[in-house]
Amino acid sequence: MRHIFLILFAAVGMYLTSCRHSNASADSKKTTSDATWWKEAIIYQIYPRSFKDSDGDGVGDLKGIISKLDYIKSLGVTGVWLNPIYASPNKDNGYDIADYQSIMKEFGTMADFDTLLKGMHDRKIKVFMDLVLNHCSDEHQWFKQARTSRTNPFYNYFHWWPAEKGTPPARWSHFDEKADGWEYNKATNSYYLHYFADCQPDLNWENPTLRQDIYKMMRFWLEKGVDGFRLDALAFISKDTTFPALPKEYNGSWGMFYASGPKLHDYIQEMNREVLSKYNVGTVAEAFGDIERVMKFVAEDRKELNMAYHFEGTELGYLPNEYKMPDPKGNNLLDMKRVYSKWDSAFMSRGWGTMYLANHDQPRMVTRWGNDAPAFREVSSKMLTTFIMSMRATPYYYYGDELGMNNIKFDKVEDYNDIELLTNYTQIKNKGGDLKRFLEGMKISSRDNGRTPFQWDSTANGGFTVGKPWLKVNPNYTDVNLVNQEKDPHSTLNYFRKMVELRKGNKTLIYGKYTLLDKSNPKIYAYTRELDGKKLLVLLNFSDANATADTGIDVSKAKILINNYNSKSPDGQLRPYEAIIYELN
Ligand code: ISL
C-alpha cells in the first residue's frame, strides 16, 4: 500500500483545467494590489546537512551556512527555507524532533542560529523554519514521559490504543517495515500511533495543552525574528480518535484519509488566531489532497495559511500502484501541462501556490524532468529554472540546482541513508521481490539523490567537508562545481542569477495571468503571462530534438528577455531544451 501518496489527488470536477479561457473577473482580483512579500519572494531551500561542513565531521552545519551567506546573497534570492535544524536523533534527518527549542548538536548551537538569522537579515534574506507538527521523535521528553505510564501527564500528548480493547484498527505507516502504524508499548500496555516511522510518534492535537505548548514554541521562534514556517505533513494532524475502520473509499489511498481529519482546519485557524496573525509571517503548508482540500489551507477568507504545495506535478511519470517506480515510457509533457495549468487556475482567484521541481523528498530536477546526459545537463537545467521562475506561484528553488547538480544514482543499497528507501528495500526483500529492479528505479526517484552534498569546488569531496561526508558526494564534482561556474558567464549558476533578477524586476512574471498555448504540443510548453497591458511569452522545449511551437504569436519583432542558448534562436525552431522568454509589447 505504499503507493498511496501517488493517488492522493483525485480530480475535482469544478476545477478542471480551462487554461485558454481564464476567468477575467477572477483574474483581475489577483493584481499587485494584494501583493505581500511572500508572493514576491524567491525561496532557496537549504538542506543544512549537505550544504557546508565547517568542522570536519562530515555533516553540514550552521557555521557552514554562515560562511556561505555572501554566496546565498549573490544568488539574489529573498528567502531561505532551512530543513529542520532542531535537536534530533536523525532517524529521518531532523524530521524526528527531540527538542523543538534547541539546535541539533551536529549543526551547532542556538548562538550559531542567532548569528545565522542576523546574517540573513543583514542581507535582506528572510528565513523560513521547517516545523514538524504531526509527530516528534520518540526521544522527545514528551514521549519519554508519556510512555512510562497511563497516568503520566504527557500520556495524552500522543494517540494510544489500550491493549485491553484488542488489536488496533489498521493504520498504515509510511516508514515502517511492517507498514503498521501502531507500535506496542509495554509499560502502558497500549499501542501508540505513528503515521511515519515507529520512532516518530504522532502528536495528539485533541489535547489543548499540547496545542498551547506548540503555539508557545512557535512564538519562541517568531520572537527571535524568523520570518516564516514550512509546515511539514500538516494535513495529518487531526485524527478521528475513535479510530474507525478505514472507509472503503480509502482502501489503497490511506494518505487521503489521513489528510481529512475532522478538526484539521479548526486547529489551523486556532494556530492562526493565537500565533500567526500576530506576526508578519509567511507560511507554506504541505497540504495533501485535491484542489478543494488544498484550497482550504490557503483561501484568504479562511484565515489559515498563505501558500500550499501540490504534489501532483512531482508525482507524474511513475507507474501506478508502485511506489516511485519510474514509468519506462518516461515523462509525458502533456500531463505536466495539464497539472500545472490546473493548479494555476485554482489559485487564480483564491490562495497562492508554490512552484518547485525538487526538494529534499525528490530526486534532482535535471535527472527527473530534464536530461542529465553530458550534452544536455546544463541546457536542460537552465530550461527547468526558466519554468520554475516564470510561473505564477512563489518559487522554491532547491540548493545545488543552480549548478545543475544531478542524481548520484547509487548502485548499492549500502550507499543509501534515507529511512524511506531502506524501509521499502527491506519490505521488498521480505516479500522476495525484485530488488535489482527496485534499485534501478531508485536511481531516478530516491530522495538521497537530492541530498548529496553541495559541490563547492574540485578539491576532495567537492569542498563540502574535510572529513568523510555523511552521504557520498556526486563524483562529477570535479567538473560540476561552484568555482568553475562562477568563472563562466554562461554557466547554469549565472543563468539562475539572471532569471532571479528577471523575476524580481518583472511584476508580470509574479502576478501576470497565465495562459497555456499550443496545448497539445508534446515537446513544447508554451504560455503567456500578462499584466497591466504587458505580455510575455515563455517557450520551453522539454525534448532533446528541435521543435516548433505553434502559438499563433509573431515573435519576429519581440524582444528576447532571456534565452538559455548563447546565440540567437533560428526562426521558428526551438533547439533541444531551449528556453526563451519574449517581451511582446
Ligand atoms: O517523502 C515523501 C515521498 O518520498 C512524502 O510522501 C513525504 O513522506 C511527505 O511529503 C511528508 O514529508 C515530510 O515529512 C516526512 C519527512 O520524511 C519528509 O522529509 C518531510 O518532507 C516525515 O516527517
Side-chain angles (χ1 to χ4, degrees), residues 200-220:
Q200 294 171 297
D202 279 34
L203 292 163
N204 177 12
W205 277 71
E206 294 284 309
N207 181 345
T209 319
L210 174 272
R211 300 206 299 276
Q212 286 307 322
D213 276 355
I214 298 267
Y215 302 153
K216 202 165 135 205
M217 173 275 287
M218 291 173 77
R219 286 186 210 106
F220 166 84

PDB file of all heavy atoms in Angstrom, residues 200-220:
ATOM      1  N   GLN A 200       8.733   7.959  15.341  1.00  0.00           N
ATOM      2  CA  GLN A 200       8.103   9.265  15.104  1.00  0.00           C
ATOM      3  C   GLN A 200       6.633   9.232  15.569  1.00  0.00           C
ATOM      4  O   GLN A 200       5.712   9.246  14.756  1.00  0.00           O
ATOM      5  CB  GLN A 200       8.172   9.628  13.608  1.00  0.00           C
ATOM      6  CG  GLN A 200       9.601   9.851  13.103  1.00  0.00           C
ATOM      7  CD  GLN A 200       9.674   9.997  11.589  1.00  0.00           C
ATOM      8  OE1 GLN A 200       9.349   9.067  10.854  1.00  0.00           O
ATOM      9  NE2 GLN A 200      10.102  11.154  11.116  1.00  0.00           N
ATOM     10  N   PRO A 201       6.420   9.171  16.896  1.00  0.00           N
ATOM     11  CA  PRO A 201       5.035   9.078  17.388  1.00  0.00           C
ATOM     12  C   PRO A 201       4.212  10.319  17.040  1.00  0.00           C
ATOM     13  O   PRO A 201       4.701  11.442  17.134  1.00  0.00           O
ATOM     14  CB  PRO A 201       5.212   8.954  18.904  1.00  0.00           C
ATOM     15  CG  PRO A 201       6.575   9.502  19.190  1.00  0.00           C
ATOM     16  CD  PRO A 201       7.408   9.232  17.979  1.00  0.00           C
ATOM     17  N   ASP A 202       2.964  10.093  16.645  1.00  0.00           N
ATOM     18  CA  ASP A 202       2.087  11.212  16.266  1.00  0.00           C
ATOM     19  C   ASP A 202       1.605  11.968  17.504  1.00  0.00           C
ATOM     20  O   ASP A 202       1.214  11.359  18.511  1.00  0.00           O
ATOM     21  CB  ASP A 202       0.863  10.689  15.492  1.00  0.00           C
ATOM     22  CG  ASP A 202       1.201  10.437  14.029  1.00  0.00           C
ATOM     23  OD1 ASP A 202       2.348  10.030  13.759  1.00  0.00           O
ATOM     24  OD2 ASP A 202       0.327  10.645  13.174  1.00  0.00           O
ATOM     25  N   LEU A 203       1.613  13.281  17.374  1.00  0.00           N
ATOM     26  CA  LEU A 203       1.169  14.133  18.486  1.00  0.00           C
ATOM     27  C   LEU A 203      -0.358  14.199  18.516  1.00  0.00           C
ATOM     28  O   LEU A 203      -1.005  14.215  17.458  1.00  0.00           O
ATOM     29  CB  LEU A 203       1.749  15.539  18.324  1.00  0.00           C
ATOM     30  CG  LEU A 203       3.273  15.605  18.502  1.00  0.00           C
ATOM     31  CD1 LEU A 203       3.835  16.909  17.926  1.00  0.00           C
ATOM     32  CD2 LEU A 203       3.652  15.461  19.979  1.00  0.00           C
ATOM     33  N   ASN A 204      -0.892  14.284  19.717  1.00  0.00           N
ATOM     34  CA  ASN A 204      -2.341  14.303  19.885  1.00  0.00           C
ATOM     35  C   ASN A 204      -2.854  15.745  19.943  1.00  0.00           C
ATOM     36  O   ASN A 204      -2.872  16.380  21.003  1.00  0.00           O
ATOM     37  CB  ASN A 204      -2.709  13.559  21.174  1.00  0.00           C
ATOM     38  CG  ASN A 204      -4.203  13.601  21.438  1.00  0.00           C
ATOM     39  OD1 ASN A 204      -4.986  13.987  20.563  1.00  0.00           O
ATOM     40  ND2 ASN A 204      -4.593  13.213  22.641  1.00  0.00           N
ATOM     41  N   TRP A 205      -3.287  16.251  18.799  1.00  0.00           N
ATOM     42  CA  TRP A 205      -3.760  17.636  18.723  1.00  0.00           C
ATOM     43  C   TRP A 205      -5.101  17.839  19.416  1.00  0.00           C
ATOM     44  O   TRP A 205      -5.545  18.968  19.610  1.00  0.00           O
ATOM     45  CB  TRP A 205      -3.818  18.079  17.253  1.00  0.00           C
ATOM     46  CG  TRP A 205      -2.476  18.536  16.786  1.00  0.00           C
ATOM     47  CD1 TRP A 205      -1.386  17.752  16.550  1.00  0.00           C
ATOM     48  CD2 TRP A 205      -2.068  19.886  16.533  1.00  0.00           C
ATOM     49  NE1 TRP A 205      -0.316  18.527  16.171  1.00  0.00           N
ATOM     50  CE2 TRP A 205      -0.715  19.859  16.142  1.00  0.00           C
ATOM     51  CE3 TRP A 205      -2.708  21.124  16.602  1.00  0.00           C
ATOM     52  CZ2 TRP A 205       0.008  21.009  15.831  1.00  0.00           C
ATOM     53  CZ3 TRP A 205      -1.997  22.276  16.277  1.00  0.00           C
ATOM     54  CH2 TRP A 205      -0.656  22.213  15.905  1.00  0.00           C
ATOM     55  N   GLU A 206      -5.766  16.752  19.778  1.00  0.00           N
ATOM     56  CA  GLU A 206      -7.013  16.886  20.549  1.00  0.00           C
ATOM     57  C   GLU A 206      -6.743  17.546  21.901  1.00  0.00           C
ATOM     58  O   GLU A 206      -7.629  18.141  22.498  1.00  0.00           O
ATOM     59  CB  GLU A 206      -7.599  15.491  20.843  1.00  0.00           C
ATOM     60  CG  GLU A 206      -8.060  14.732  19.634  1.00  0.00           C
ATOM     61  CD  GLU A 206      -9.380  15.263  19.110  1.00  0.00           C
ATOM     62  OE1 GLU A 206     -10.322  15.393  19.897  1.00  0.00           O
ATOM     63  OE2 GLU A 206      -9.444  15.550  17.903  1.00  0.00           O
ATOM     64  N   ASN A 207      -5.534  17.383  22.348  1.00  0.00           N
ATOM     65  CA  ASN A 207      -5.176  17.841  23.697  1.00  0.00           C
ATOM     66  C   ASN A 207      -4.820  19.337  23.666  1.00  0.00           C
ATOM     67  O   ASN A 207      -3.794  19.729  23.102  1.00  0.00           O
ATOM     68  CB  ASN A 207      -3.983  17.002  24.180  1.00  0.00           C
ATOM     69  CG  ASN A 207      -3.547  17.373  25.576  1.00  0.00           C
ATOM     70  OD1 ASN A 207      -3.922  18.426  26.099  1.00  0.00           O
ATOM     71  ND2 ASN A 207      -2.743  16.514  26.181  1.00  0.00           N
ATOM     72  N   PRO A 208      -5.641  20.186  24.306  1.00  0.00           N
ATOM     73  CA  PRO A 208      -5.392  21.637  24.237  1.00  0.00           C
ATOM     74  C   PRO A 208      -4.059  22.039  24.869  1.00  0.00           C
ATOM     75  O   PRO A 208      -3.448  23.021  24.450  1.00  0.00           O
ATOM     76  CB  PRO A 208      -6.565  22.261  25.000  1.00  0.00           C
ATOM     77  CG  PRO A 208      -7.307  21.144  25.639  1.00  0.00           C
ATOM     78  CD  PRO A 208      -6.848  19.847  25.056  1.00  0.00           C
ATOM     79  N   THR A 209      -3.613  21.245  25.848  1.00  0.00           N
ATOM     80  CA  THR A 209      -2.324  21.586  26.488  1.00  0.00           C
ATOM     81  C   THR A 209      -1.183  21.386  25.483  1.00  0.00           C
ATOM     82  O   THR A 209      -0.265  22.214  25.401  1.00  0.00           O
ATOM     83  CB  THR A 209      -2.091  20.689  27.725  1.00  0.00           C
ATOM     84  OG1 THR A 209      -3.326  20.566  28.413  1.00  0.00           O
ATOM     85  CG2 THR A 209      -1.051  21.262  28.638  1.00  0.00           C
ATOM     86  N   LEU A 210      -1.258  20.317  24.727  1.00  0.00           N
ATOM     87  CA  LEU A 210      -0.246  20.092  23.675  1.00  0.00           C
ATOM     88  C   LEU A 210      -0.285  21.255  22.689  1.00  0.00           C
ATOM     89  O   LEU A 210       0.756  21.814  22.318  1.00  0.00           O
ATOM     90  CB  LEU A 210      -0.538  18.757  22.987  1.00  0.00           C
ATOM     91  CG  LEU A 210       0.219  18.252  21.753  1.00  0.00           C
ATOM     92  CD1 LEU A 210      -0.339  18.696  20.429  1.00  0.00           C
ATOM     93  CD2 LEU A 210       1.716  18.488  21.798  1.00  0.00           C
ATOM     94  N   ARG A 211      -1.482  21.639  22.305  1.00  0.00           N
ATOM     95  CA  ARG A 211      -1.578  22.713  21.301  1.00  0.00           C
ATOM     96  C   ARG A 211      -0.962  24.002  21.842  1.00  0.00           C
ATOM     97  O   ARG A 211      -0.222  24.693  21.141  1.00  0.00           O
ATOM     98  CB  ARG A 211      -3.035  22.941  20.877  1.00  0.00           C
ATOM     99  CG  ARG A 211      -3.692  21.729  20.253  1.00  0.00           C
ATOM    100  CD  ARG A 211      -4.825  22.113  19.303  1.00  0.00           C
ATOM    101  NE  ARG A 211      -5.907  22.844  19.939  1.00  0.00           N
ATOM    102  CZ  ARG A 211      -6.926  22.290  20.605  1.00  0.00           C
ATOM    103  NH1 ARG A 211      -7.002  20.968  20.719  1.00  0.00           N
ATOM    104  NH2 ARG A 211      -7.869  23.040  21.148  1.00  0.00           N
ATOM    105  N   GLN A 212      -1.233  24.290  23.095  1.00  0.00           N
ATOM    106  CA  GLN A 212      -0.649  25.514  23.666  1.00  0.00           C
ATOM    107  C   GLN A 212       0.876  25.422  23.717  1.00  0.00           C
ATOM    108  O   GLN A 212       1.565  26.409  23.480  1.00  0.00           O
ATOM    109  CB  GLN A 212      -1.235  25.787  25.072  1.00  0.00           C
ATOM    110  CG  GLN A 212      -2.681  26.301  25.056  1.00  0.00           C
ATOM    111  CD  GLN A 212      -2.884  27.532  24.154  1.00  0.00           C
ATOM    112  OE1 GLN A 212      -2.035  28.421  24.077  1.00  0.00           O
ATOM    113  NE2 GLN A 212      -4.003  27.567  23.425  1.00  0.00           N
ATOM    114  N   ASP A 213       1.384  24.247  24.023  1.00  0.00           N
ATOM    115  CA  ASP A 213       2.857  24.076  24.024  1.00  0.00           C
ATOM    116  C   ASP A 213       3.432  24.326  22.634  1.00  0.00           C
ATOM    117  O   ASP A 213       4.501  24.925  22.480  1.00  0.00           O
ATOM    118  CB  ASP A 213       3.232  22.659  24.481  1.00  0.00           C
ATOM    119  CG  ASP A 213       3.281  22.555  26.000  1.00  0.00           C
ATOM    120  OD1 ASP A 213       3.128  23.593  26.676  1.00  0.00           O
ATOM    121  OD2 ASP A 213       3.464  21.422  26.499  1.00  0.00           O
ATOM    122  N   ILE A 214       2.720  23.846  21.635  1.00  0.00           N
ATOM    123  CA  ILE A 214       3.186  24.053  20.245  1.00  0.00           C
ATOM    124  C   ILE A 214       3.168  25.554  19.924  1.00  0.00           C
ATOM    125  O   ILE A 214       4.125  26.092  19.364  1.00  0.00           O
ATOM    126  CB  ILE A 214       2.274  23.298  19.251  1.00  0.00           C
ATOM    127  CG1 ILE A 214       2.314  21.796  19.504  1.00  0.00           C
ATOM    128  CG2 ILE A 214       2.588  23.674  17.807  1.00  0.00           C
ATOM    129  CD1 ILE A 214       3.302  21.006  18.706  1.00  0.00           C
ATOM    130  N   TYR A 215       2.085  26.226  20.292  1.00  0.00           N
ATOM    131  CA  TYR A 215       1.981  27.658  19.959  1.00  0.00           C
ATOM    132  C   TYR A 215       3.077  28.450  20.680  1.00  0.00           C
ATOM    133  O   TYR A 215       3.650  29.386  20.121  1.00  0.00           O
ATOM    134  CB  TYR A 215       0.599  28.217  20.323  1.00  0.00           C
ATOM    135  CG  TYR A 215      -0.553  27.501  19.628  1.00  0.00           C
ATOM    136  CD1 TYR A 215      -1.825  27.452  20.197  1.00  0.00           C
ATOM    137  CD2 TYR A 215      -0.356  26.863  18.404  1.00  0.00           C
ATOM    138  CE1 TYR A 215      -2.867  26.777  19.569  1.00  0.00           C
ATOM    139  CE2 TYR A 215      -1.384  26.187  17.773  1.00  0.00           C
ATOM    140  CZ  TYR A 215      -2.640  26.142  18.365  1.00  0.00           C
ATOM    141  OH  TYR A 215      -3.659  25.472  17.740  1.00  0.00           O
ATOM    142  N   LYS A 216       3.342  28.049  21.921  1.00  0.00           N
ATOM    143  CA  LYS A 216       4.396  28.731  22.682  1.00  0.00           C
ATOM    144  C   LYS A 216       5.738  28.571  21.963  1.00  0.00           C
ATOM    145  O   LYS A 216       6.512  29.515  21.818  1.00  0.00           O
ATOM    146  CB  LYS A 216       4.462  28.084  24.076  1.00  0.00           C
ATOM    147  CG  LYS A 216       5.080  28.952  25.128  1.00  0.00           C
ATOM    148  CD  LYS A 216       4.764  28.396  26.492  1.00  0.00           C
ATOM    149  CE  LYS A 216       6.025  28.420  27.323  1.00  0.00           C
ATOM    150  NZ  LYS A 216       6.066  27.441  28.400  1.00  0.00           N
ATOM    151  N   MET A 217       5.972  27.362  21.506  1.00  0.00           N
ATOM    152  CA  MET A 217       7.223  27.086  20.797  1.00  0.00           C
ATOM    153  C   MET A 217       7.296  27.902  19.501  1.00  0.00           C
ATOM    154  O   MET A 217       8.343  28.459  19.157  1.00  0.00           O
ATOM    155  CB  MET A 217       7.278  25.580  20.531  1.00  0.00           C
ATOM    156  CG  MET A 217       8.392  25.074  19.671  1.00  0.00           C
ATOM    157  SD  MET A 217       8.061  25.170  17.927  1.00  0.00           S
ATOM    158  CE  MET A 217       6.867  23.854  17.702  1.00  0.00           C
ATOM    159  N   MET A 218       6.179  28.032  18.807  1.00  0.00           N
ATOM    160  CA  MET A 218       6.184  28.819  17.564  1.00  0.00           C
ATOM    161  C   MET A 218       6.488  30.289  17.874  1.00  0.00           C
ATOM    162  O   MET A 218       7.252  30.945  17.159  1.00  0.00           O
ATOM    163  CB  MET A 218       4.835  28.685  16.841  1.00  0.00           C
ATOM    164  CG  MET A 218       4.605  27.291  16.275  1.00  0.00           C
ATOM    165  SD  MET A 218       2.941  27.056  15.608  1.00  0.00           S
ATOM    166  CE  MET A 218       3.078  27.909  14.039  1.00  0.00           C
ATOM    167  N   ARG A 219       5.888  30.777  18.976  1.00  0.00           N
ATOM    168  CA  ARG A 219       6.169  32.185  19.365  1.00  0.00           C
ATOM    169  C   ARG A 219       7.640  32.370  19.684  1.00  0.00           C
ATOM    170  O   ARG A 219       8.226  33.410  19.382  1.00  0.00           O
ATOM    171  CB  ARG A 219       5.316  32.583  20.576  1.00  0.00           C
ATOM    172  CG  ARG A 219       3.869  32.814  20.229  1.00  0.00           C
ATOM    173  CD  ARG A 219       3.073  33.355  21.422  1.00  0.00           C
ATOM    174  NE  ARG A 219       1.701  32.901  21.305  1.00  0.00           N
ATOM    175  CZ  ARG A 219       1.134  31.955  22.042  1.00  0.00           C
ATOM    176  NH1 ARG A 219       1.810  31.368  23.026  1.00  0.00           N
ATOM    177  NH2 ARG A 219      -0.117  31.590  21.825  1.00  0.00           N
ATOM    178  N   PHE A 220       8.250  31.362  20.315  1.00  0.00           N
ATOM    179  CA  PHE A 220       9.682  31.431  20.645  1.00  0.00           C
ATOM    180  C   PHE A 220      10.502  31.743  19.383  1.00  0.00           C
ATOM    181  O   PHE A 220      11.356  32.634  19.374  1.00  0.00           O
ATOM    182  CB  PHE A 220      10.104  30.089  21.265  1.00  0.00           C
ATOM    183  CG  PHE A 220      11.591  29.870  21.367  1.00  0.00           C
ATOM    184  CD1 PHE A 220      12.314  30.383  22.438  1.00  0.00           C
ATOM    185  CD2 PHE A 220      12.277  29.131  20.396  1.00  0.00           C
ATOM    186  CE1 PHE A 220      13.693  30.167  22.533  1.00  0.00           C
ATOM    187  CE2 PHE A 220      13.648  28.912  20.477  1.00  0.00           C
ATOM    188  CZ  PHE A 220      14.359  29.439  21.555  1.00  0.00           C
TER     189      PHE A 220
END
